[in-house]
């Protein structure tokens, strides 16, 4: 039996509170102030440098570059920022390159060449400031020798659709690149290297953000082959894996200073503090929500049922990045699918109080869609069916976007200029 929510005004208030908490988490991940603060603490390092070279890539590249250049001043030699179209803005003193995401394109290759050339130009006495953020793996494409752009596109697409997590995806990506897996640090090794990083990965492992361009390699060639085999990715990719042992870059990469300035943890802490001030009893469901999105939805719903007995307003929060195995031809993303699956789980076993569940990408883009994610309540499934759609059928075709659009439950924020993975918020009144 479908359990409908309580009074519309109370439910709308709860939805608005969830959205505001999400926005609080995104605001805490604003990269510009974090970069400025980090560089202000390193004023002496900037002053000692003969020249400063700025290399930025990822969804936050423009925001990070714009914050850094005023503090570099006359020391700037050259700056290049590679980002996606939604986050691209003109920056005085920097070359901005717009590239493809989530799949690389020829513009990504152009960005890779520009960064590679700039890194090679670094000389003793220079400071190479590398500004790294999520999305950089696709936005900057520098295929290793013998690998074509078409191969990189096919590989990225296969990995994204396979259900592999970010660790596994970047384990493979590092071995197909002239820049990832510490190779950018090798190219600029004659100079001092400082990398400021916006982290969108579990544990803020700098070897994983944008496939670790300035950090020691994350995994061996054997481990990369194991990932390809595990997810049954086209065998030809195993045959074309880069044969060079990338572990040789470790010593040079250790000379680079890698500093995480913004992360999912910081966002989660910020929205938690706001929820507490708003009178919610806050429970953290997970430090990093991972695994298959179907399992994540089931576990989150079970966790909600377990804690629904608490008196007064309750907020259950998490951050992370579950994975979707794409087998259908529909439109959606992991956050939209997580929200839809949560709503379906609740139809099977209802939370006996008013609730709202939000799952959104902090970059404002969930998969290849214009939505950040989804925000559902006890009436969502009812409205989908009332408008003639079968949510289970849509889910089977990976068509969560259509399902949520039908019920008015898409979370729309626009591009945010940052990327620290996803945030999940369940509010119970």
């Amino acid at each position: 039996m479908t359990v409908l929510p309580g009074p519309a005004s109370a439910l709308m208030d709860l939805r608005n509170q969830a959205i505001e908490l999400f926005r609080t988490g995104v605001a805490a991940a604003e990269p510009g102030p974090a970069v400025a603060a980090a560089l202000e603490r390193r004023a002496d390092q900037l002053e000692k440098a003969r020249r400063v070279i700025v290399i930025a890539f990822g969804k936050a590249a423009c925001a990070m570059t714009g914050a850094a250049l005023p503090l570099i001043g006359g020391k700037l030699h050259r700056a290049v920022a590679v980002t996606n179209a939604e986050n691209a803005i003109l920056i005085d003193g920097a070359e901005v390159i717009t590239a493809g995401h989530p799949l690389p394109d020829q513009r990504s290759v152009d960005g890779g060449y520009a960064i590679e050339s700039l890194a090679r130009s670094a000389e003793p006495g220079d400071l190479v400031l590398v500004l790294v953020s999520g999305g950089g793996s696709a936005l900057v494409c520098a295929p290793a020798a013998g690998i074509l752009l078409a191969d990189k596109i096919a590989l990225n697409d296969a990995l994204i659709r396979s259900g592999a997590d970010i660790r596994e995806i970047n384990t493979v990506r590092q071995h197909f690149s002239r820049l990832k897996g510490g190779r950018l640090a090798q190219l600029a090794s004659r100079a001092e290297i400082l990398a400021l990083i916006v982290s969108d990965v579990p544990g803020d492992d700098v070897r994983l953000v944008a496939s670790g361009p300035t950090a020691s390699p994350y995994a061996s060639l054997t481990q990369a082959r194991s990932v390809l085999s595990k997810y049954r990715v086209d065998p030809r990719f195993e045959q074309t894996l880069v044969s060079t042992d990338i572990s040789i870059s470790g010593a040079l990469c250790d000379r680079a200073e890698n500093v995480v300035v913004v992360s999912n943890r910081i966002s989660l802490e910020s929205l938690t503090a706001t929820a507490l001030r708003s009178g919610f009893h806050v429970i953290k469901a997970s430090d990093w929500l991972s695994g298959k999105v179907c399992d994540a939805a089931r576990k989150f719903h079970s966790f909600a049922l377990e804690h629904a007995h608490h008196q007064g307003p309750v907020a259950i929060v998490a951050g992370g990045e579950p994975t979707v195995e794409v087998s259908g031809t529909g439109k959606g993303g992991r956050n939209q699918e997580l929200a839809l699956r949560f709503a379906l789980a609740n139809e099977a076993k209802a939370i006996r109080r008013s609730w709202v569940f939000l799952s959104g990408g902090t970059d404002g883009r969930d998969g290849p869609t214009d939505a950040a994610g989804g925000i559902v309540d006890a009436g969502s499934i009812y409205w989908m069916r009332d408008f003639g759609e079968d949510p289970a059928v849509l889910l089977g075709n990976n068509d969560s976007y259509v399902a949520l659009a039908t019920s008015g439950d898409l979370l729309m924020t626009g591009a945010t200029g940052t990327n620290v993975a996803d945030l999940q918020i369940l509010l119970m009144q």
Side-chain angles (χ1 to χ4, degrees):
M1 180 179 70
T2 299
V3 178
L4 293 178
S9 60
L11 182 63
M12 187 56 66
D13 286 344
L14 207 58
R15 290 174 70 93
N16 288 337
Q17 284 179 292
I19 292 170
E20 284 306 308
L21 286 175
F22 177 75
R23 292 187 184 279
T24 296
V26 172
E30 191 175 346
V35 166
L39 290 179
E40 286 168 357
R41 292 191 294 269
R42 290 166 175 76
D44 290 346
Q45 191 174 10
L46 293 174
E47 183 59 31
K48 290 176 183 177
R50 184 176 69 93
R51 304 181 305 177
V52 178
I53 294 169
V54 178
I55 295 173
F57 50 97
K59 294 180 181 179
C62 285
M64 297 174 82
T65 302
L69 294 192
L71 296 170
I72 295 170
K75 295 275 185 163
L76 180 67
H77 171 57
R78 191 180 164 207
V80 170
V82 184
T83 193
N84 57 324
E86 294 87 350
N87 291 307
I89 58 173
L90 293 175
I91 302 173
D92 189 25
E95 177 187 0
V96 177
I97 299 173
T98 302
H101 189 277
L103 297 178
D105 58 16
Q106 183 56 49
R107 298 170 301 169
S108 304
V109 173
D110 295 340
Y113 277 123
I115 285 175
E116 187 173 25
S117 175
L118 194 50
R120 290 183 185 279
S121 74
E123 300 175 355
D126 291 344
L127 172 64
V128 179
L129 178 62
V130 186
L131 305 174
V132 185
S133 54
S137 290
L139 290 165
V140 172
C141 183
I147 298 171
L148 302 176
L149 172 60
D151 296 327
K152 293 276 287 194
I153 293 172
L155 176 62
N156 271 15
D157 188 45
L159 289 170
I160 290 170
R161 289 175 170 271
S162 72
D165 65 28
I166 189 63
R167 295 183 185 92
E168 294 169 317
I169 290 173
N170 284 353
T171 289
V172 175
R173 280 170 166 169
Q174 289 185 351
H175 289 272
F176 281 82
S177 174
R178 302 190 309 274
L179 294 174
K180 299 175 176 67
R183 290 184 171 112
L184 175 59
Q186 283 187 301
L187 292 175
S189 60
R190 293 189 299 168
E192 187 175 5
I193 303 169
L194 171 63
L196 302 182
I197 299 168
V198 173
S199 172
D200 65 338
V201 300
D204 298 337
D205 191 333
V206 297
R207 299 172 301 168
L208 288 174
V209 183
S211 299
T214 57
S216 298
Y218 180 72
S220 68
L221 188 67
T222 299
Q223 289 170 300
R225 284 177 172 149
S226 295
V227 172
L228 292 173
S229 177
K230 175 183 177 180
Y231 291 99
R232 299 179 181 179
V233 178
D234 191 330
R236 68 190 173 95
F237 290 117
E238 287 191 54
Q239 299 167 8
T240 56
L241 267 176
V242 181
S243 59
T244 304
D245 182 1
I246 64 173
S247 64
I248 60 172
S249 67
L252 287 174
C253 291
D254 289 341
R255 293 173 51 190
E257 182 182 7
N258 291 285
V259 181
V260 174
V261 294
V262 174
S263 69
N264 186 272
R265 175 185 57 80
I266 293 171
S267 288
L268 198 56
E269 288 174 353
S270 178
L271 75 85
T272 295
T274 301
L276 287 169
R277 289 194 297 270
S278 299
F280 285 92
H281 173 71
V282 181
I283 304 165
K284 184 188 290 186
S286 174
D287 286 321
W288 187 266
L289 195 66
S290 60
K292 294 181 178 180
V293 71
C294 54
D295 295 331
R298 184 175 61 252
K299 289 177 182 177
F300 208 107
H301 184 259
S302 296
F303 196 79
L305 290 171
E306 180 184 344
H307 293 278
H309 67 277
H310 282 285
Q311 297 297 313
V314 176
I316 301 178
V317 301
E321 197 169 284
T323 59
V324 176
E325 185 174 351
V326 180
S327 56
T329 59
K331 180 180 179 181
R334 60 179 177 266
N335 289 287
Q336 293 162 67
E337 184 158 323
L338 180 58
L340 178 57
R341 286 184 178 276
F342 187 96
L344 284 166
N346 189 74
E347 184 181 47
K349 190 171 184 180
I351 300 170
R352 297 293 174 175
R353 59 193 296 184
S354 294
W355 62 269
V356 167
F357 176 72
L358 180 154
S359 185
T362 54
D363 60 351
R365 290 290 181 269
D366 184 33
T369 77
D370 59 352
I375 176 169
V376 294
D377 56 53
S380 295
I381 300 301
Y382 169 84
W383 290 116
M384 291 173 198
R385 293 202 176 103
D386 194 54
F387 282 101
E389 297 289 356
D390 186 330
V393 170
L394 291 172
L395 180 62
N397 192 41
N398 297 113
D399 217 354
S400 53
Y401 184 97
V402 170
L404 296 175
T406 300
S407 57
D409 290 330
L410 289 172
L411 177 66
M412 309 294 287
T413 65
T416 65
T418 191
N419 184 23
V420 291
D422 307 331
L423 295 172
Q424 289 79 33
I425 303 165
L426 172 70
L427 300 184
M428 295 187 289
Q429 192 68 43

